[in-house]
Amino acid sequence: KREGLAYSAYAGETATRWSSAFTSAVSVLRNNQAHRTSRARHSSGAPEALDDGEETLGCELCAIMAPLKLATKIMEGDGEKGLCSIYLPTWHSISKALCKSELAAPAELVSLKPGSSRIRVQDMLPLSQDTLKFLVTDLTKVKTKHLEGTSGLSLLRCATYLDLRFKDHACVTVEEREKVRSEVKAAAVARFSDASVRQFVIHRAETEIPMDATLAEVMQAEKARGRGGRGRGAKARGRKRAAPGGASVAARSLKPRTSAEDFLFGGKPGPKSSSSGQTKVQDLEAAVDHEMGLYDRMPAGESLDASPLLFWRKHEACVRHLAAVARDVLSIPASSASIERLFSAANRAVNNRRGR
């Protein structure tokens, strides 16, 4: 402290994760100069200081681990920040970051060597270059072994497409995106293939929302329908009818059955669609195609704080089929780290020596 040296407390649980290994290495490098001064002046038992070559090697290895640490933090996000839709974009970003000709030095270490915010790969030490090559090769090997050609890759691509933030991300090529759209369409049609549900969807689209409406018109129609429904209900409740004895009795309006009640308890089929309705909505696939067109015209988001599930809840009125599929797919977490942490905490709290 008297010398004004930069130092920090040692942090990190274990070196089994990239984030913990990175944090531990940064602690050693930041405290290196303080250890050197302490051993020289006080003959203390401080750890032996690193020489210049070891310090350079440590900074280069931290620059290599920085993208992996950030990816680990993103993948292990809690709540709606750690959905499976973020898996492929994160993997793509790691590969892209490690294949650059220059790596960004971690902000925690820039103060140790001023002017070294960027580290050129060709100027790295041999061990650092070998480590970087190994990671790039290993990432490709793992992805090829566990994802390529599996249904899991198709599911992750569908999740990426249904997340407004990544629907146009470079992790899915143009050719792959066309295949993903067909898979999402097939999933939506299969989910709503029941005859009663299909009849309900056709009736709703025929009587309330035209298929050629724009997104703004759809949202305006839904808003107007909500206000009109409340107004009509209020008037119906306000009307009076005469009772046999001359007393005035409020007329009751029957509560309409919701789509959920019809789905669960087998409601009566809706009215048959007219010829004009069949022209607008020929079948369920046409409705899904229209919704996908609306979704494709929506601008993609660029904030990780944006909630994809909140987006689908907000726009469920105009893209109800895609919203149902999105809820099924996006409910899958990207990582089981939060569950593992929960069991680890429980294991430390409840053991044989402390049963209560």
Side-chain angles (χ1 to χ4, degrees), residues 232-354:
R232 290 192 299 271
K235 291 180 181 179
R237 287 191 296 272
R239 288 197 297 266
K240 304 287 184 177
R241 64 179 176 86
S248 179
V249 181
R252 293 185 303 170
S253 59
L254 296 178
K255 178 182 176 182
R257 290 175 66 89
T258 64
S259 60
E261 292 168 343
D262 291 338
F263 179 77
L264 290 175
F265 306 113
K268 296 181 180 180
K272 296 182 179 179
S273 59
S274 61
S275 58
S276 61
Q278 291 176 351
T279 303
K280 294 178 181 179
V281 187
Q282 295 181 358
D283 54 14
L284 188 59
E285 293 184 358
V288 175
D289 280 332
H290 175 66
E291 291 183 6
M292 297 185 75
L294 289 177
Y295 178 65
D296 289 337
R297 290 194 294 271
M298 294 179 182
E302 296 184 354
S303 174
L304 282 178
D305 293 331
S307 170
L309 294 178
L310 180 60
F311 164 82
W312 287 109
R313 285 195 294 268
K314 182 179 179 181
H315 296 86
E316 186 176 9
C318 55
V319 285
R320 54 180 62 87
H321 302 92
L322 292 183
V325 177
R327 284 196 300 267
D328 293 340
V329 175
L330 296 180
S331 61
I332 305 173
S335 171
S336 61
S338 59
I339 302 174
E340 294 174 8
R341 290 197 188 100
L342 179 62
F343 276 94
S344 298
N347 184 50
R348 290 192 292 268
V350 182
N351 52 48
N352 293 334
R353 293 177 177 270
R354 182 171 57 194

Side-chain angles (χ1 to χ4, degrees), residues 202-217:
I202 293 177
H203 176 62
R204 286 268 298 189
E206 173 192 340
T207 56
E208 298 180 13
I209 303 177
M211 289 301 296
D212 54 353
T214 62
L215 179 61
E217 293 172 346

Side-chain angles (χ1 to χ4, degrees), residues 22 25-26 29-30 58-59 62-63 105-114 116:
F22 174 86
V26 168
L29 293 171
R30 285 182 59 85
C59 291
C62 285
E108 299 90 336
L109 302 179
V110 173
S111 60
L112 298 179
K113 291 186 176 182
S116 60

Side-chain angles (χ1 to χ4, degrees), residues 4 35 46 54 150 314:
H35 289 326
E54 292 172 333
T150 66
K314 182 179 179 181

Side-chain angles (χ1 to χ4, degrees), residues 120-140:
R120 299 179 61 184
V121 175
Q122 62 181 9
D123 296 337
M124 283 183 174
L125 296 175
L127 180 57
S128 301
Q129 293 183 358
D130 293 342
T131 304
L132 181 60
K133 292 178 182 178
F134 166 78
L135 288 176
V136 173
T137 304
D138 192 61
L139 280 172
T140 305

Side-chain angles (χ1 to χ4, degrees), residues 3 13 19 26 29 47 81 114 136 140 155 160 164 206 221 351:
E3 298 295 332
E13 301 174 0
S19 55
V26 168
L29 293 171
K81 293 185 178 180
V136 173
T140 305
L155 179 64
T160 304
L164 190 70
E206 173 192 340
N351 52 48

